[in-house]
Structure formats: structure tokens, C-alpha cells
């Protein structure tokens, strides 16, 4: 089995020792991704753009996502993101989980992790 690793150059990749995405076994596993911005909506949009870029690099898209996990320090911040998430996944909604938890830095308001099926 071939494994391909995708690096985005984010600061935590080198510090912690991981990569943005791994392609293995017909799936694309995108690591938990945070985004830039001062509020949850801008961070959500930024994280989705980073995820979309990682998927595109290996020939996949948001339509290929089969599983998504949302992690937020404040559950009440999730609902403002719903319109963006509906737009991002469109007619191809994945199975989803939202977890209320602490994130790696106090200014972060959302982290998103996805698994996508690699198109043939």
C-alpha cells in the first residue's frame, strides 16, 4: 500500500510532528485543522479553505468527504457555522460529530477534521 503525506507548512506541523493530510487505503485523512480570524465564523471559513486545498492537492473535493468531526471550546459557537458547513458540503453531507473540548491555543474557536474517499 502506498502512503502519501501532504504538508501545508502550518506552524504546528513541524512543532508537533504531523502532516496536514495522509492518503492511504483509498482514503484521505485530513488532520484537525484550525483557521485564522478573530471569530468562529472566520476561523471556520479559513479551516474549510485549508481542508479543501489539501483535498484538491490529491484530486479529491469536499464532495468526497465521508466523515467530519467539529471540535469547539464553546458548543454555542457551532450554530453560527452551520450555513458555511451546509455550503461547503452541499448535496453531499458527510457523517458528522461535534465535540465540545479545549483546543491547543486559547484564541482558537473551532477545529475541523475530515476523512474523504479518494476518487477513482
Amino acid at each position: 500500500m502506498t502512503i502519501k503525506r501532504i504538508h501545508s507548512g502550518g506552524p504546528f506541523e513541524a512543532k508537533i510532528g504531523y502532516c496536514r493530510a495522509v492518503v492511504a487505503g483509498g482514503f484521505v485523512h485530513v488532520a484537525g485543522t484550525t483557521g485564522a480570524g478573530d471569530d468562529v465564523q472566520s476561523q471556520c471559513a479559513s479551516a474549510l479553505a485549508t481542508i479543501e486545498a489539501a483535498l484538491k492537492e490529491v484530486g479529491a473535493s469536499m464532495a468526497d468527504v465521508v466523515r467530519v468531526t467539529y471540535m469547539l471550546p464553546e458548543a454555542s459557537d457551532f450554530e453560527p457555522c452551520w450555513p458555511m458547513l451546509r455550503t461547503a458540503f452541499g448535496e453531499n453531507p458527510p457523517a458528522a460529530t461535534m465535540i465540545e473540548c479545549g483546543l491547543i491555543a486559547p484564541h482558537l474557536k473551532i477545529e475541523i477534521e475530515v476523512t474523504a474517499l479518494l476518487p477513482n
Side-chain angles (χ1 to χ4, degrees), residues 14-43:
K15 288 179 185 178
I16 296 171
Y18 75 95
C19 56
R20 176 60 42 219
V22 174
V23 179
F27 288 92
V28 184
H29 304 274
V30 182
T33 305
T34 58
D38 294 330
D39 60 32
V40 70
Q41 290 162 308
S42 58
Q43 288 184 20

PDB file of all heavy atoms in Angstrom, residues 14-43:
ATOM      1  N   ALA A  14       5.411  21.082  12.110  1.00  0.00           N
ATOM      2  CA  ALA A  14       6.803  20.810  12.474  1.00  0.00           C
ATOM      3  C   ALA A  14       6.978  20.696  13.988  1.00  0.00           C
ATOM      4  O   ALA A  14       7.729  19.845  14.467  1.00  0.00           O
ATOM      5  CB  ALA A  14       7.710  21.911  11.920  1.00  0.00           C
ATOM      6  N   LYS A  15       6.277  21.532  14.736  1.00  0.00           N
ATOM      7  CA  LYS A  15       6.420  21.522  16.198  1.00  0.00           C
ATOM      8  C   LYS A  15       5.941  20.208  16.807  1.00  0.00           C
ATOM      9  O   LYS A  15       6.544  19.686  17.742  1.00  0.00           O
ATOM     10  CB  LYS A  15       5.615  22.665  16.822  1.00  0.00           C
ATOM     11  CG  LYS A  15       6.202  24.030  16.601  1.00  0.00           C
ATOM     12  CD  LYS A  15       5.307  25.089  17.240  1.00  0.00           C
ATOM     13  CE  LYS A  15       5.808  26.484  16.931  1.00  0.00           C
ATOM     14  NZ  LYS A  15       4.928  27.503  17.504  1.00  0.00           N
ATOM     15  N   ILE A  16       4.826  19.696  16.312  1.00  0.00           N
ATOM     16  CA  ILE A  16       4.205  18.519  16.908  1.00  0.00           C
ATOM     17  C   ILE A  16       4.635  17.237  16.209  1.00  0.00           C
ATOM     18  O   ILE A  16       4.769  16.196  16.827  1.00  0.00           O
ATOM     19  CB  ILE A  16       2.667  18.665  16.901  1.00  0.00           C
ATOM     20  CG1 ILE A  16       2.272  19.853  17.779  1.00  0.00           C
ATOM     21  CG2 ILE A  16       1.989  17.393  17.380  1.00  0.00           C
ATOM     22  CD1 ILE A  16       0.806  20.223  17.683  1.00  0.00           C
ATOM     23  N   GLY A  17       4.862  17.318  14.901  1.00  0.00           N
ATOM     24  CA  GLY A  17       5.265  16.141  14.139  1.00  0.00           C
ATOM     25  C   GLY A  17       4.099  15.443  13.465  1.00  0.00           C
ATOM     26  O   GLY A  17       3.824  14.281  13.714  1.00  0.00           O
ATOM     27  N   TYR A  18       3.388  16.158  12.621  1.00  0.00           N
ATOM     28  CA  TYR A  18       2.298  15.569  11.842  1.00  0.00           C
ATOM     29  C   TYR A  18       2.230  16.282  10.507  1.00  0.00           C
ATOM     30  O   TYR A  18       2.957  17.234  10.266  1.00  0.00           O
ATOM     31  CB  TYR A  18       0.958  15.659  12.591  1.00  0.00           C
ATOM     32  CG  TYR A  18       0.332  17.036  12.606  1.00  0.00           C
ATOM     33  CD1 TYR A  18      -0.634  17.395  11.665  1.00  0.00           C
ATOM     34  CD2 TYR A  18       0.720  17.984  13.541  1.00  0.00           C
ATOM     35  CE1 TYR A  18      -1.202  18.657  11.678  1.00  0.00           C
ATOM     36  CE2 TYR A  18       0.151  19.245  13.556  1.00  0.00           C
ATOM     37  CZ  TYR A  18      -0.809  19.579  12.632  1.00  0.00           C
ATOM     38  OH  TYR A  18      -1.359  20.833  12.629  1.00  0.00           O
ATOM     39  N   CYS A  19       1.361  15.810   9.622  1.00  0.00           N
ATOM     40  CA  CYS A  19       1.161  16.482   8.344  1.00  0.00           C
ATOM     41  C   CYS A  19      -0.319  16.800   8.176  1.00  0.00           C
ATOM     42  O   CYS A  19      -1.170  16.273   8.886  1.00  0.00           O
ATOM     43  CB  CYS A  19       1.699  15.663   7.184  1.00  0.00           C
ATOM     44  SG  CYS A  19       1.045  14.011   7.049  1.00  0.00           S
ATOM     45  N   ARG A  20      -0.626  17.682   7.252  1.00  0.00           N
ATOM     46  CA  ARG A  20      -2.000  18.129   7.036  1.00  0.00           C
ATOM     47  C   ARG A  20      -2.913  16.977   6.636  1.00  0.00           C
ATOM     48  O   ARG A  20      -4.048  16.878   7.075  1.00  0.00           O
ATOM     49  CB  ARG A  20      -2.023  19.222   5.954  1.00  0.00           C
ATOM     50  CG  ARG A  20      -3.388  19.719   5.544  1.00  0.00           C
ATOM     51  CD  ARG A  20      -4.208  20.339   6.664  1.00  0.00           C
ATOM     52  NE  ARG A  20      -3.400  21.182   7.512  1.00  0.00           N
ATOM     53  CZ  ARG A  20      -3.535  21.251   8.847  1.00  0.00           C
ATOM     54  NH1 ARG A  20      -4.424  20.551   9.475  1.00  0.00           N
ATOM     55  NH2 ARG A  20      -2.757  22.039   9.545  1.00  0.00           N
ATOM     56  N   ALA A  21      -2.410  16.101   5.758  1.00  0.00           N
ATOM     57  CA  ALA A  21      -3.255  15.001   5.293  1.00  0.00           C
ATOM     58  C   ALA A  21      -2.400  13.796   4.945  1.00  0.00           C
ATOM     59  O   ALA A  21      -1.225  13.937   4.612  1.00  0.00           O
ATOM     60  CB  ALA A  21      -4.065  15.438   4.075  1.00  0.00           C
ATOM     61  N   VAL A  22      -3.028  12.632   5.026  1.00  0.00           N
ATOM     62  CA  VAL A  22      -2.389  11.379   4.636  1.00  0.00           C
ATOM     63  C   VAL A  22      -3.359  10.644   3.719  1.00  0.00           C
ATOM     64  O   VAL A  22      -4.539  10.492   4.051  1.00  0.00           O
ATOM     65  CB  VAL A  22      -2.049  10.502   5.862  1.00  0.00           C
ATOM     66  CG1 VAL A  22      -1.523   9.141   5.423  1.00  0.00           C
ATOM     67  CG2 VAL A  22      -1.046  11.201   6.769  1.00  0.00           C
ATOM     68  N   VAL A  23      -2.840  10.193   2.585  1.00  0.00           N
ATOM     69  CA  VAL A  23      -3.619   9.386   1.653  1.00  0.00           C
ATOM     70  C   VAL A  23      -3.172   7.947   1.838  1.00  0.00           C
ATOM     71  O   VAL A  23      -1.984   7.640   1.684  1.00  0.00           O
ATOM     72  CB  VAL A  23      -3.395   9.832   0.189  1.00  0.00           C
ATOM     73  CG1 VAL A  23      -4.202   8.959  -0.761  1.00  0.00           C
ATOM     74  CG2 VAL A  23      -3.734  11.296   0.014  1.00  0.00           C
ATOM     75  N   ALA A  24      -4.112   7.080   2.198  1.00  0.00           N
ATOM     76  CA  ALA A  24      -3.795   5.669   2.412  1.00  0.00           C
ATOM     77  C   ALA A  24      -5.066   4.841   2.290  1.00  0.00           C
ATOM     78  O   ALA A  24      -6.137   5.275   2.736  1.00  0.00           O
ATOM     79  CB  ALA A  24      -3.175   5.467   3.793  1.00  0.00           C
ATOM     80  N   GLY A  25      -4.936   3.680   1.686  1.00  0.00           N
ATOM     81  CA  GLY A  25      -6.060   2.749   1.615  1.00  0.00           C
ATOM     82  C   GLY A  25      -7.289   3.296   0.922  1.00  0.00           C
ATOM     83  O   GLY A  25      -8.403   2.915   1.260  1.00  0.00           O
ATOM     84  N   GLY A  26      -7.104   4.202  -0.025  1.00  0.00           N
ATOM     85  CA  GLY A  26      -8.235   4.757  -0.761  1.00  0.00           C
ATOM     86  C   GLY A  26      -8.936   5.911  -0.062  1.00  0.00           C
ATOM     87  O   GLY A  26      -9.958   6.396  -0.535  1.00  0.00           O
ATOM     88  N   PHE A  27      -8.390   6.330   1.071  1.00  0.00           N
ATOM     89  CA  PHE A  27      -8.972   7.444   1.823  1.00  0.00           C
ATOM     90  C   PHE A  27      -7.972   8.582   1.984  1.00  0.00           C
ATOM     91  O   PHE A  27      -6.765   8.365   1.959  1.00  0.00           O
ATOM     92  CB  PHE A  27      -9.414   6.996   3.227  1.00  0.00           C
ATOM     93  CG  PHE A  27     -10.632   6.131   3.215  1.00  0.00           C
ATOM     94  CD1 PHE A  27     -10.520   4.753   3.159  1.00  0.00           C
ATOM     95  CD2 PHE A  27     -11.902   6.700   3.243  1.00  0.00           C
ATOM     96  CE1 PHE A  27     -11.655   3.951   3.141  1.00  0.00           C
ATOM     97  CE2 PHE A  27     -13.034   5.903   3.230  1.00  0.00           C
ATOM     98  CZ  PHE A  27     -12.907   4.532   3.172  1.00  0.00           C
ATOM     99  N   VAL A  28      -8.503   9.782   2.170  1.00  0.00           N
ATOM    100  CA  VAL A  28      -7.710  10.962   2.507  1.00  0.00           C
ATOM    101  C   VAL A  28      -8.100  11.342   3.933  1.00  0.00           C
ATOM    102  O   VAL A  28      -9.266  11.644   4.200  1.00  0.00           O
ATOM    103  CB  VAL A  28      -8.004  12.156   1.561  1.00  0.00           C
ATOM    104  CG1 VAL A  28      -7.076  13.322   1.888  1.00  0.00           C
ATOM    105  CG2 VAL A  28      -7.899  11.751   0.112  1.00  0.00           C
ATOM    106  N   HIS A  29      -7.140  11.293   4.829  1.00  0.00           N
ATOM    107  CA  HIS A  29      -7.364  11.638   6.231  1.00  0.00           C
ATOM    108  C   HIS A  29      -6.764  13.016   6.461  1.00  0.00           C
ATOM    109  O   HIS A  29      -5.539  13.175   6.406  1.00  0.00           O
ATOM    110  CB  HIS A  29      -6.689  10.615   7.148  1.00  0.00           C
ATOM    111  CG  HIS A  29      -7.126   9.208   6.885  1.00  0.00           C
ATOM    112  ND1 HIS A  29      -8.244   8.660   7.451  1.00  0.00           N
ATOM    113  CD2 HIS A  29      -6.593   8.246   6.085  1.00  0.00           C
ATOM    114  CE1 HIS A  29      -8.379   7.416   7.029  1.00  0.00           C
ATOM    115  NE2 HIS A  29      -7.398   7.141   6.194  1.00  0.00           N
ATOM    116  N   VAL A  30      -7.605  14.015   6.682  1.00  0.00           N
ATOM    117  CA  VAL A  30      -7.133  15.382   6.892  1.00  0.00           C
ATOM    118  C   VAL A  30      -7.120  15.650   8.399  1.00  0.00           C
ATOM    119  O   VAL A  30      -8.133  15.482   9.082  1.00  0.00           O
ATOM    120  CB  VAL A  30      -8.011  16.416   6.161  1.00  0.00           C
ATOM    121  CG1 VAL A  30      -7.462  17.822   6.373  1.00  0.00           C
ATOM    122  CG2 VAL A  30      -8.077  16.100   4.663  1.00  0.00           C
ATOM    123  N   ALA A  31      -5.967  16.061   8.886  1.00  0.00           N
ATOM    124  CA  ALA A  31      -5.781  16.322  10.316  1.00  0.00           C
ATOM    125  C   ALA A  31      -6.699  17.437  10.799  1.00  0.00           C
ATOM    126  O   ALA A  31      -7.182  18.252  10.004  1.00  0.00           O
ATOM    127  CB  ALA A  31      -4.327  16.731  10.576  1.00  0.00           C
ATOM    128  N   GLY A  32      -6.916  17.475  12.101  1.00  0.00           N
ATOM    129  CA  GLY A  32      -7.659  18.571  12.695  1.00  0.00           C
ATOM    130  C   GLY A  32      -7.076  19.886  12.228  1.00  0.00           C
ATOM    131  O   GLY A  32      -5.868  20.101  12.305  1.00  0.00           O
ATOM    132  N   THR A  33      -7.922  20.753  11.712  1.00  0.00           N
ATOM    133  CA  THR A  33      -7.492  21.990  11.060  1.00  0.00           C
ATOM    134  C   THR A  33      -8.170  23.177  11.716  1.00  0.00           C
ATOM    135  O   THR A  33      -9.390  23.219  11.835  1.00  0.00           O
ATOM    136  CB  THR A  33      -7.855  21.943   9.557  1.00  0.00           C
ATOM    137  OG1 THR A  33      -7.276  20.765   8.979  1.00  0.00           O
ATOM    138  CG2 THR A  33      -7.362  23.169   8.825  1.00  0.00           C
ATOM    139  N   THR A  34      -7.354  24.139  12.135  1.00  0.00           N
ATOM    140  CA  THR A  34      -7.877  25.383  12.676  1.00  0.00           C
ATOM    141  C   THR A  34      -7.710  26.466  11.624  1.00  0.00           C
ATOM    142  O   THR A  34      -7.076  26.247  10.600  1.00  0.00           O
ATOM    143  CB  THR A  34      -7.141  25.782  13.974  1.00  0.00           C
ATOM    144  OG1 THR A  34      -5.748  25.914  13.695  1.00  0.00           O
ATOM    145  CG2 THR A  34      -7.347  24.729  15.062  1.00  0.00           C
ATOM    146  N   GLY A  35      -8.261  27.641  11.891  1.00  0.00           N
ATOM    147  CA  GLY A  35      -8.187  28.711  10.908  1.00  0.00           C
ATOM    148  C   GLY A  35      -7.838  30.038  11.529  1.00  0.00           C
ATOM    149  O   GLY A  35      -7.820  30.200  12.749  1.00  0.00           O
ATOM    150  N   ALA A  36      -7.583  30.986  10.669  1.00  0.00           N
ATOM    151  CA  ALA A  36      -7.241  32.347  11.092  1.00  0.00           C
ATOM    152  C   ALA A  36      -8.512  33.179  11.240  1.00  0.00           C
ATOM    153  O   ALA A  36      -9.523  32.909  10.607  1.00  0.00           O
ATOM    154  CB  ALA A  36      -6.317  32.988  10.059  1.00  0.00           C
ATOM    155  N   GLY A  37      -8.430  34.182  12.091  1.00  0.00           N
ATOM    156  CA  GLY A  37      -9.548  35.104  12.265  1.00  0.00           C
ATOM    157  C   GLY A  37      -9.839  35.341  13.723  1.00  0.00           C
ATOM    158  O   GLY A  37      -9.337  34.634  14.601  1.00  0.00           O
ATOM    159  N   ASP A  38     -10.676  36.331  13.967  1.00  0.00           N
ATOM    160  CA  ASP A  38     -10.995  36.720  15.339  1.00  0.00           C
ATOM    161  C   ASP A  38     -12.262  36.070  15.880  1.00  0.00           C
ATOM    162  O   ASP A  38     -12.494  36.099  17.089  1.00  0.00           O
ATOM    163  CB  ASP A  38     -11.153  38.247  15.429  1.00  0.00           C
ATOM    164  CG  ASP A  38      -9.848  38.971  15.165  1.00  0.00           C
ATOM    165  OD1 ASP A  38      -8.783  38.389  15.465  1.00  0.00           O
ATOM    166  OD2 ASP A  38      -9.890  40.093  14.641  1.00  0.00           O
ATOM    167  N   ASP A  39     -13.101  35.515  15.000  1.00  0.00           N
ATOM    168  CA  ASP A  39     -14.345  34.921  15.477  1.00  0.00           C
ATOM    169  C   ASP A  39     -14.504  33.523  14.888  1.00  0.00           C
ATOM    170  O   ASP A  39     -13.766  33.114  14.001  1.00  0.00           O
ATOM    171  CB  ASP A  39     -15.543  35.814  15.147  1.00  0.00           C
ATOM    172  CG  ASP A  39     -15.715  36.062  13.661  1.00  0.00           C
ATOM    173  OD1 ASP A  39     -15.384  35.184  12.839  1.00  0.00           O
ATOM    174  OD2 ASP A  39     -16.196  37.146  13.299  1.00  0.00           O
ATOM    175  N   VAL A  40     -15.471  32.789  15.411  1.00  0.00           N
ATOM    176  CA  VAL A  40     -15.645  31.402  14.996  1.00  0.00           C
ATOM    177  C   VAL A  40     -15.979  31.288  13.515  1.00  0.00           C
ATOM    178  O   VAL A  40     -15.530  30.359  12.840  1.00  0.00           O
ATOM    179  CB  VAL A  40     -16.697  30.680  15.876  1.00  0.00           C
ATOM    180  CG1 VAL A  40     -18.102  31.197  15.612  1.00  0.00           C
ATOM    181  CG2 VAL A  40     -16.616  29.174  15.696  1.00  0.00           C
ATOM    182  N   GLN A  41     -16.739  32.223  12.972  1.00  0.00           N
ATOM    183  CA  GLN A  41     -17.107  32.130  11.564  1.00  0.00           C
ATOM    184  C   GLN A  41     -15.903  32.322  10.648  1.00  0.00           C
ATOM    185  O   GLN A  41     -15.744  31.587   9.677  1.00  0.00           O
ATOM    186  CB  GLN A  41     -18.217  33.120  11.243  1.00  0.00           C
ATOM    187  CG  GLN A  41     -19.526  32.709  11.896  1.00  0.00           C
ATOM    188  CD  GLN A  41     -20.522  33.835  11.975  1.00  0.00           C
ATOM    189  OE1 GLN A  41     -20.213  34.919  12.466  1.00  0.00           O
ATOM    190  NE2 GLN A  41     -21.727  33.571  11.508  1.00  0.00           N
ATOM    191  N   SER A  42     -15.059  33.288  10.943  1.00  0.00           N
ATOM    192  CA  SER A  42     -13.878  33.480  10.091  1.00  0.00           C
ATOM    193  C   SER A  42     -12.907  32.317  10.247  1.00  0.00           C
ATOM    194  O   SER A  42     -12.293  31.877   9.271  1.00  0.00           O
ATOM    195  CB  SER A  42     -13.203  34.821  10.378  1.00  0.00           C
ATOM    196  OG  SER A  42     -12.819  34.926  11.726  1.00  0.00           O
ATOM    197  N   GLN A  43     -12.776  31.793  11.463  1.00  0.00           N
ATOM    198  CA  GLN A  43     -11.896  30.640  11.667  1.00  0.00           C
ATOM    199  C   GLN A  43     -12.447  29.402  10.959  1.00  0.00           C
ATOM    200  O   GLN A  43     -11.694  28.618  10.384  1.00  0.00           O
ATOM    201  CB  GLN A  43     -11.701  30.370  13.157  1.00  0.00           C
ATOM    202  CG  GLN A  43     -10.826  31.411  13.831  1.00  0.00           C
ATOM    203  CD  GLN A  43     -10.549  31.087  15.281  1.00  0.00           C
ATOM    204  OE1 GLN A  43     -10.666  29.951  15.724  1.00  0.00           O
ATOM    205  NE2 GLN A  43     -10.163  32.102  16.042  1.00  0.00           N
TER     206      GLN A  43
END
